[in-house]
Amino acid sequence: MDYLRVRCFHCGGRFELYSRDMNHDGKPPMCPHCLSRMDGKQWGRLIDAYFTISEVNKDFRKYHEERGEPLFQVELRNHYVKPRKIVLNDQ
């Protein structure tokens, strides 16, 4: 089962979005905890990325079963790192 785990940095809450939630026609999702809504353009890009990764994983399974190719599965994870002031020591 494919889904996205979303973290809202407004409230710190987390929630999941499933394939049934991926719809270009609907409004962008909002955090169920604080009701902050995603930007529409970013939502569209997220839908495209979700279906691309989902399709790649589906093909990995298919080619493994039909052709005996090695089986892989891709999971995209991201860890947010706050930008810090960079100090360069030019000596």
Side-chain angles (χ1 to χ4, degrees):
M1 174 186 298
D2 297 330
Y3 66 93
L4 298 175
R5 179 167 291 138
V6 181
R7 180 174 177 198
C8 173
F9 278 83
H10 184 260
C11 71
R14 295 173 193 259
F15 59 99
E16 286 78 29
L17 296 172
Y18 296 90
S19 59
R20 67 179 177 268
D21 303 316
M22 303 295 159
N23 186 342
H24 281 287
D25 298 331
K27 292 181 180 178
M30 53 168 127
C31 174
H33 309 290
C34 70
L35 305 180
S36 293
R37 188 174 297 278
M38 282 185 191
D39 173 76
K41 182 177 179 180
Q42 298 309 319
W43 173 235
R45 294 177 68 197
L46 186 59
I47 291 171
D48 293 341
Y50 170 82
F51 282 116
T52 298
I53 290 175
S54 182
E55 188 69 24
V56 168
N57 281 330
K58 181 177 143 188
D59 286 345
F60 279 146
R61 289 187 301 272
K62 177 181 176 184
Y63 297 157
H64 172 71
E65 292 171 4
E66 293 178 357
R67 303 178 190 173
E69 292 185 9
L71 179 61
F72 295 95
Q73 181 175 353
V74 175
E75 181 178 322
L76 176 64
R77 296 180 143 213
N78 188 6
H79 180 74
Y80 178 75
V81 178
K82 292 183 181 180
R84 294 190 175 108
K85 185 175 181 179
I86 298 174
V87 178
L88 299 175
N89 292 329
D90 293 334
Q91 296 178 357

